[in-house]
Amino acid sequence: MTVFRGFPMAAYAGASFLASCLLSLYLTPIFRDAANRFGIVDRPDGRLKNQEEAVSYLGGLAVFSSMLFPVAIFLQFSDRLMGLLLASTIIVLLGLIDDIGNLSPRIKFLVQVIAVFLMIKSGIRIRVAVLPPLACVVLTFLWMILMTNGFNLIDVMDGLAAGVAVVSAAALAVVFSLRGNAMGVILCASLCGALAGFLRHNRSPAQIYLGDAGSLFLGFLLGGLAIGGDYTLRNRFGWISAVVIFAVPLFEIVFLSYLRFRRGMSILAGSRDHFSLRLRKWRLTTRQTVAASCAAAVASAAVGILAMFLTPAASLVGYGAVLAAFLGVAVWLKAIDMSL
């Protein structure tokens, strides 16, 4: 899968990370200035958007562009890679249009379904031996929609979505490296590098946001990459590791859905119920909230990777501990009064 042969996979990963990071450091300010020039910005509204002044969008384009160049250099373009990149490009364009204007949830969902369909046509889909092919296709659609919108939902605070995505991509890189999957390692390393450069300008106080173009892209790409991981070589329950690695964005979508359903609100409606906003309302600063969220992502990803090598019974204990921890956090967060 790699263009250059005879070098260790770690060398490709390091070169991909460095190239993406340098490109991102260079391109992000350019996209920031372009967004300001054309008015593609996130303006404070006094409700959910409480930043002091308008902040540029187009950060997602900077991350996407920075990741593509090393991938083109170090990887041969296979059907699966082209399918994943084409589908991801559609998601980026969807988010960009939504950043510039406002698309209805129905249109956004429809385009996401089309992108997932293109990805499946390239050969990327969940495969479970005990399930019929149609059920696996349905499961793939469900997984990709949850992942795509999970990262979009956590993108409500400076550096949060990008920081959690770095952790998730790094964890997937470990999974791929254990199986000698060069394509997965290089894609993850390139994404980590692009996000690392972007975070230089996205950490609090942020100069540029990912926007929907970036957050939707991160969820979609990471969801598609996760499908290509081999988790069950030593443990038949290892597939749960893919869920545990993404515990933070998946927790957000389940937590928000529960709270909004209880209130009779649309799950797609905006509210201050995000776990990160509740942490900040409690007593944490923005940077402390992001650090705590990334730490939770690191801990859950570590459990997920370790569980792949445990016995089935021991791995279930680990997965159960992660579930119990997030349930406990959910009960505590729900008690925080967000009315004031």
Side-chain angles (χ1 to χ4, degrees):
M1 291 298 294
T2 55
V3 174
F4 306 105
R5 303 185 184 279
F7 293 93
M9 190 163 53
Y12 290 117
S16 299
F17 176 89
L18 182 61
S20 292
C21 184
L22 292 175
L23 270 174
S24 185
L25 286 170
Y26 175 73
L27 290 176
T28 300
I30 294 176
F31 279 102
R32 177 197 63 203
D33 295 341
N36 286 330
R37 187 178 309 117
F38 293 107
I40 308 175
V41 296
D42 187 47
R43 304 183 188 281
D45 60 8
R47 297 185 297 109
L48 297 178
K49 303 177 181 182
N50 295 315
Q51 68 269 25
E52 294 183 2
E53 55 188 23
V55 178
S56 307
Y57 281 139
L58 301 188
L61 288 183
V63 172
F64 180 62
S65 303
S66 302
M67 187 210 74
L68 281 182
F69 183 64
V71 168
I73 292 177
F74 294 112
L75 290 178
Q76 297 281 6
F77 285 100
S78 64
D79 289 343
R80 289 192 175 193
L81 179 58
M82 287 298 294
L84 181 59
L85 293 180
L86 174 60
S88 297
T89 302
I90 292 173
I91 293 296
V92 171
L93 293 175
L94 167 68
L96 179 61
I97 294 172
D98 196 44
D99 288 334
I100 295 174
N102 279 309
L103 293 175
S104 68
R106 181 179 300 178
I107 294 298
K108 293 168 70 175
F109 175 76
L110 176 61
V111 176
Q112 289 175 32
V113 168
I114 293 171
V116 177
F117 176 77
L118 290 175
M119 186 194 76
I120 292 175
K121 285 287 290 183
S122 72
I124 300 174
R125 66 175 177 85
I126 294 172
R127 288 175 169 82
V128 181
V130 298
L131 294 179
L134 181 59
C136 291
V137 169
V138 172
L139 190 59
T140 302
F141 273 101
L142 176 62
W143 169 255
M144 292 301 298
I145 297 300
L146 286 174
M147 283 292 296
T148 302
N149 292 284
F151 273 92
N152 182 245
L153 285 173
I154 66 171
D155 189 29
V156 295
M157 191 170 290
D158 298 349
L160 180 56
V164 172
V166 168
V167 175
S168 300
L172 283 182
V174 173
V175 172
F176 287 128
S177 65
L178 292 172
R179 302 292 183 255
N181 186 332
M183 184 187 81
V185 171
I186 291 173
L187 280 168
C188 290
S190 297
L191 182 59
C192 283
L195 288 169
F198 170 74
L199 279 167
R200 167 68 179 79
H201 305 278
N202 181 240
R203 63 187 181 184
S204 181
Q207 303 172 25
I208 185 171
Y209 289 160
L210 282 169
D212 281 356
S215 58
L216 292 173
F217 161 67
L218 290 179
F220 189 91
L221 179 63
L222 288 169
L225 286 171
I227 291 174
D230 186 359
Y231 308 94
T232 58
L233 189 62
R234 301 186 183 183
N235 177 1
R236 67 179 183 273
F237 295 126
W239 60 270
I240 303 176
S241 291
V243 177
V244 173
I245 286 172
F246 297 102
V248 171
L250 293 177
F251 169 78
E252 172 79 315
I253 199 168
V254 172
F255 183 64
L256 276 179
S257 298
Y258 170 76
L259 291 179
R260 291 173 180 175
F261 177 78
R262 285 288 302 270
R263 294 175 182 172
M265 297 172 57
S266 168
I267 294 175
L268 301 176
S271 73
R272 294 180 54 80
D273 289 320
H274 300 268
F275 77 83
S276 56
L277 298 182
R278 287 175 175 267
L279 286 174
R280 193 168 61 185
K281 177 66 180 297
W282 176 57
R283 64 179 62 179
L284 297 185
T285 65
T286 295
R287 293 194 176 190
Q288 289 171 337
T289 299
V290 172
S293 302
C294 290
V298 169
S300 57
V303 171
I305 293 172
L306 177 62
M308 292 166 53
F309 300 94
L310 299 177
T311 63
S315 69
L316 289 178
V317 173
Y319 298 139
V322 173
L323 177 61
F326 276 93
L327 284 175
V329 170
V331 172
W332 170 60
L333 289 175
K334 183 178 179 295
I336 298 175
D337 185 8
M338 298 296 291
S339 61
L340 299 178

